[in-house]
Amino acid sequence: MLHRISATDCIVLDLPAEKALAVLWDIKSLELYEPKVDSAQVRPETERKGIYSAKGHFAGIPWRGEFSYELNDHGFHSEMIRGPMRIEVNGGFIVNSEGPDSCLITHYEHYRFPYWISPLTLLARPYLHWAMRKELRELAGTIHSKVQI
């Protein structure tokens, strides 16, 4: 459908899954690796659930929104609960162990745009795939730098 965009990509890292999970569970770290997020403010509600407010740029267009998030044993999932132009967004990360010193991180994002702006999805689709690839590279760098500390 023209008004929906989904993207999924993955990366393999040479470190235990637990180390990658520790960085992903630090939701504030989003601002270090997510190219669409300039800053994030996290408000945990429980040990595994909460809300974060984010602001940034999507294809150069400023935006801000609020997301619910839930940490799970393999990563986290978040959903936009307040954002621009009634756009719906959800996504997250799944970390699977590939052995004692290797893990596979899968990242997914789903967008649903109102019909009146659905022609813009033709431009948003390639941007989203580019941003996801960049995000995974930045995430790998963030994880490696935090694991070294």
Side-chain angles (χ1 to χ4, degrees):
M1 297 185 140
L2 185 61
H3 69 288
R4 295 178 191 260
I5 301 174
S6 292
T8 304
D9 207 340
C10 59
I11 192 167
V12 175
L13 298 181
D14 293 327
L15 51 83
E18 304 79 44
K19 294 190 183 243
L21 280 169
V23 174
L24 284 169
W25 287 338
D26 177 12
I27 300 297
K28 178 79 172 145
S29 292
L30 271 171
E31 61 190 32
L32 300 176
Y33 60 83
E34 165 62 83
K36 297 180 294 294
V37 172
D38 296 332
S39 66
Q41 303 303 316
V42 182
R43 297 184 313 274
E45 295 174 342
T46 69
E47 192 174 297
R48 292 213 167 204
K49 293 182 180 183
I51 305 253
Y52 66 90
S53 301
K55 63 181 178 177
H57 294 82
F58 186 100
I61 300 169
W63 69 274
R64 67 178 55 228
E66 278 194 329
F67 296 78
S68 64
Y69 71 87
E70 184 170 356
L71 308 179
N72 59 59
D73 292 341
H74 294 283
F76 79 86
H77 178 79
S78 66
E79 295 192 25
M80 188 183 320
I81 54 177
R82 198 172 290 100
M85 299 184 289
R86 295 182 22 231
I87 297 170
E88 296 174 18
V89 180
N90 72 74
F93 292 88
I94 302 166
V95 180
N96 289 302
S97 179
E98 297 280 295
D101 293 317
S102 181
C103 65
L104 172 71
I105 301 175
T106 303
H107 180 35
Y108 61 92
E109 293 182 9
H110 306 288
Y111 293 77
R112 187 176 159 278
F113 296 89
Y115 284 104
W116 63 273
I117 60 170
S118 55
L120 294 178
T121 62
L122 296 173
L123 300 172
R125 191 177 313 273
Y127 171 78
L128 178 60
H129 288 281
W130 169 85
M132 180 170 281
R133 197 71 223 142
K134 180 177 183 182
E135 181 173 0
L136 286 170
R137 286 191 310 271
E138 295 292 326
L139 174 61
T142 299
I143 290 171
H144 283 297
S145 70
K146 287 187 174 253
V147 167
Q148 300 301 322
I149 295 174

